[in-house]
Amino acid sequence: GLDVDQYVMATNYFGPVALTKALLPSMLQRHSGCFVVVSSLSGIAGVPCMSAYVASKHALHGFFESLVAEVHSENIQVTIAIPGFIQTDITKHALTGEGTPYGRSLSMHQRAMPPEVCARRLLRAVAAKRREVLIGGVEIWSAHLQRIAPSLLALLVRSHPVRMKRRIMHALGLRRESGEQRE
C-alpha cells in the first residue's frame, strides 16, 4: 500500500535530502564541499514492479540536479553516481508491494560488478569532479538509450526479468496477478 511507498521515499529520498540540508549551510559558509549521491539506473528510466523505488530515485535526481544549479558558484561539488547491477543483496532486501522483503537475489546481481570495482570508479569520478557517473556493465547503456530513444528503451524495459517471471508464473497458473503492483 501507500505506506510502502512512503517508507521507500523516506529512505531513498528524504534521508539524503535531510542530510544535505543539515550539511549545506556549513559548506556554503566555507564556500567548499562535496556531495556524493548514490542513485540508480532506475532514477533515469522506470522499470516494472519497482514504482516506489523508481519514484524515489527520480526525486533524488531532481533534487540534486537542482542543487547543482543552485550552488554552482559556491565551489560545492555534487556527483551523482548511477550504478547499474552491482553484486549486492539489494533485491533480497527490497520490499514488495505488500511491504515484505523480496527475499532473494536476482541472478543478474550475482553476476554483476563487484562493489569494490564500483567504489573505485565512483572515487575516480569524484576526484575528477564529474557531475554524474554511470557505473556498471552493459546495462548502463540504457541511460544513453533513454536520452536518445526513450520509446525503444520503454519497449525493452517491458520485458524486465521480474515482470517476465511473473507473467510466466501467471500463465502457468502458479501465481495470481491480483494485488500485484502494476505500472
Side-chain angles (χ1 to χ4, degrees):
L2 185 59
D3 56 330
V4 175
D5 293 75
Q6 290 171 330
Y7 179 81
V8 171
M9 224 29 173
T11 302
N12 290 345
Y13 174 71
F14 286 112
V17 168
L19 182 59
T20 299
K21 289 184 180 247
L23 296 173
L24 186 58
S26 66
M27 291 181 178
L28 289 170
Q29 188 175 21
R30 289 189 322 268
H31 299 287
S32 71
C34 177
F35 290 105
V36 179
V37 184
V38 179
S39 183
S40 167
L41 278 174
S42 298
I44 294 174
V47 293
C49 305
M50 297 175 56
S51 59
Y53 180 78
V54 168
S56 70
K57 294 301 185 172
H58 271 75
L60 195 67
H61 274 252
F63 178 85
F64 282 98
E65 286 172 1
S66 294
L67 184 65
V68 166
E70 293 168 4
V71 300
H72 76 279
S73 64
E74 298 293 333
N75 195 33
I76 296 172
Q77 176 185 342
V78 177
T79 298
I80 302 173
I82 304 169
F85 299 126
I86 308 299
Q87 286 178 10
T88 67
D89 286 334
I90 189 168
T91 55
K92 185 176 183 180
H93 302 289
L95 298 180
T96 65
E98 293 81 33
T100 58
Y102 185 67
R104 57 190 177 277
S105 295
L106 298 177
S107 60
M108 67 185 80
H109 285 105
Q110 295 166 356
R111 296 186 311 264
M113 176 182 286
E116 300 80 18
V117 174
C118 177
R120 281 194 299 275
R121 290 186 183 179
L122 175 54
L123 288 173
R124 280 196 303 267
V126 171
K129 297 187 177 196
R130 292 186 51 195
R131 187 181 68 79
E132 186 177 274
V133 58
L134 293 163
I135 304 172
V138 69
E139 71 277 6
I140 66 172
W141 284 97
S142 64
H144 303 297
L145 197 53
Q146 172 65 12
R147 291 172 179 147
I148 61 172
S151 295
L152 177 58
L153 181 61
L155 181 65
L156 295 171
V157 163
R158 286 188 205 116
S159 45
H160 186 271
V162 172
R163 169 163 261 181
M164 287 301 281
K165 180 179 178 184
R166 287 182 179 170
R167 284 183 179 167
I168 292 167
M169 290 177 74
H170 176 69
L172 296 174
L174 300 174
R175 183 183 193 119
R176 290 190 344 248
E177 283 197 29
S178 63
E180 288 184 356
Q181 187 176 0
R182 298 187 184 188
E183 54 179 345

